[in-house]
Amino acid sequence: MTEQRFDKIIASQFNISRKDARTGIRKGKGVVDGQVIKDPAAQISVNSQIVYGGKTLNYKEHIYILMNKPKGVLSASSDKKKQTVVDLVPGRLKRNNLFPVGRLDKDTTGLLIITDDGEFAHNAISPKKDILKTYVAELDGEVTEQMVDIFANGVVLADGTVCKKAYLKPLYGNKAEIKISEGKYHQIKRMFGTVGLGVNELSRVAFGTLHLTDDLKPGGCRELETWEIKAVFCRD
Ligand code: URA
């Protein structure tokens, strides 16, 4: 897909509507390899040097954003009433069609990837791909060796749903690290529920071998590097 309609390139890369892109292009705001192109339907190679409204375009088919999700924000693209993770993405990283890769509960914090790449998202969250997501949970009781074994053998949830094996590691206090490769609704809270433990706090710290980094405060975002995007699909 190296050639695309000019208005499509401009709209997707500058996060403006197709209509605004067409208007701007007709007004002569678009320059391709030094030549003003006023036809929004012109087929343009994305490898050309493209300038729009004086800004040089660094074409990227997709964007991958790492967010440290704060509490109280919905894992969704938009919502009529509540603030969503996509609302928190700063203008410099905004694109049309952004969405979170999987969902974290409203009260869960930590590593969330936001992208406009549907295929990437599908592969990252598909249980078939067996990518481990690592969480730290603060519980209302202690993790026992027996619980570690129950999680390793595949927890059966209260409604009979069987979970894939999960890795549970007691940490200090009533904290525990847990690694799962699926994303069922409230999965971790429901898994701990079956062994009589409540989850007071939950935070995701890694996705594959991609770890949340200290530079991101809650609500902070940054674009992922290519090697970091690959780390999502790596196994420890
Ligand atoms: N499991 C949960 O219970 N909640 C989350 O947000 C993620 C995993």
Side-chain angles (χ1 to χ4, degrees):
M1 262 222 303
T2 57
E3 285 208 342
Q4 288 180 29
R5 273 183 66 115
F6 196 24
D7 56 351
K8 185 170 180 218
I9 297 175
I10 297 301
S12 76
Q13 301 295 306
F14 288 97
N15 186 35
I16 60 174
S17 68
R18 282 286 277 269
K19 188 165 169 262
D20 286 348
R22 281 196 291 273
T23 308
I25 291 166
R26 287 195 187 104
K27 282 186 181 160
K29 285 172 83 175
V31 180
V32 179
D33 291 335
Q35 238 193 316
V36 175
I37 302 286
K38 291 191 173 180
D39 176 8
Q43 288 294 316
I44 303 294
S45 163
V46 296
N47 300 319
S48 320
Q49 202 218 41
I50 300 172
V51 178
Y52 182 76
K55 287 189 194 146
T56 302
L57 188 152
N58 173 16
Y59 181 85
K60 288 177 191 156
E61 188 177 2
H62 294 297
I63 191 163
Y64 306 87
I65 298 162
L66 176 64
M67 173 180 282
N68 183 356
K69 180 190 172 297
K71 269 194 181 183
V73 179
L74 284 189
S75 290
S77 299
S78 63
D79 189 85
K80 285 205 179 99
K81 292 189 185 140
K82 306 223 168 70
Q83 190 179 43
T84 71
V85 289
V86 171
D87 294 333
L88 295 183
V89 174
R92 73 193 147 79
L93 298 176
K94 270 264 161 75
R95 287 273 190 110
N96 299 320
N97 309 321
L98 287 179
F99 60 90
V101 176
R103 284 168 191 266
L104 292 178
D105 296 340
K106 199 174 160 200
D107 60 351
T108 300
T109 58
L111 190 161
L112 187 67
I113 300 169
I114 296 174
T115 187
D116 56 355
D117 184 348
E119 194 183 341
F120 166 87
H122 173 78
N123 287 327
I125 61 180
S126 166
K128 284 189 199 139
K129 301 280 173 186
D130 251 344
I131 294 168
L132 290 173
K133 289 96 191 173
T134 309
Y135 295 80
V136 172
E138 203 176 299
L139 306 158
D140 62 4
E142 252 177 65
V143 168
T144 64
E145 272 307 312
Q146 195 193 3
M147 293 175 191
V148 173
D149 291 340
I150 293 171
F151 276 43
N153 288 325
V155 170
V156 182
L157 299 177
D159 64 358
T161 307
V162 180
C163 297
K164 293 176 74 177
K165 64 182 174 191
Y167 304 93
L168 182 56
K169 179 168 132 192
L171 301 174
Y172 54 93
N174 284 344
K175 286 196 175 179
E177 182 186 90
I178 170 165
K179 291 178 190 265
I180 57 173
S181 59
E182 326 166 83
K184 299 186 197 302
Y185 184 63
H186 292 333
Q187 181 165 345
I188 291 178
K189 291 172 187 160
R190 290 160 72 207
M191 287 169 79
F192 279 113
T194 66
V195 293
L197 289 182
V199 176
N200 295 334
E201 301 278 339
L202 187 62
S203 184
R204 183 157 62 194
V205 295
F207 202 126
T209 58
L210 173 69
H211 290 260
L212 191 62
T213 43
D214 291 341
D215 56 325
L216 285 182
K217 305 235 167 350
C221 285
R222 68 172 171 80
E223 195 172 350
L224 287 170
E225 308 279 345
T226 311
W227 67 266
E228 293 180 301
I229 299 164
K230 291 185 181 153
V232 167
F233 298 102
C234 289
R235 293 180 176 87
D236 283 316

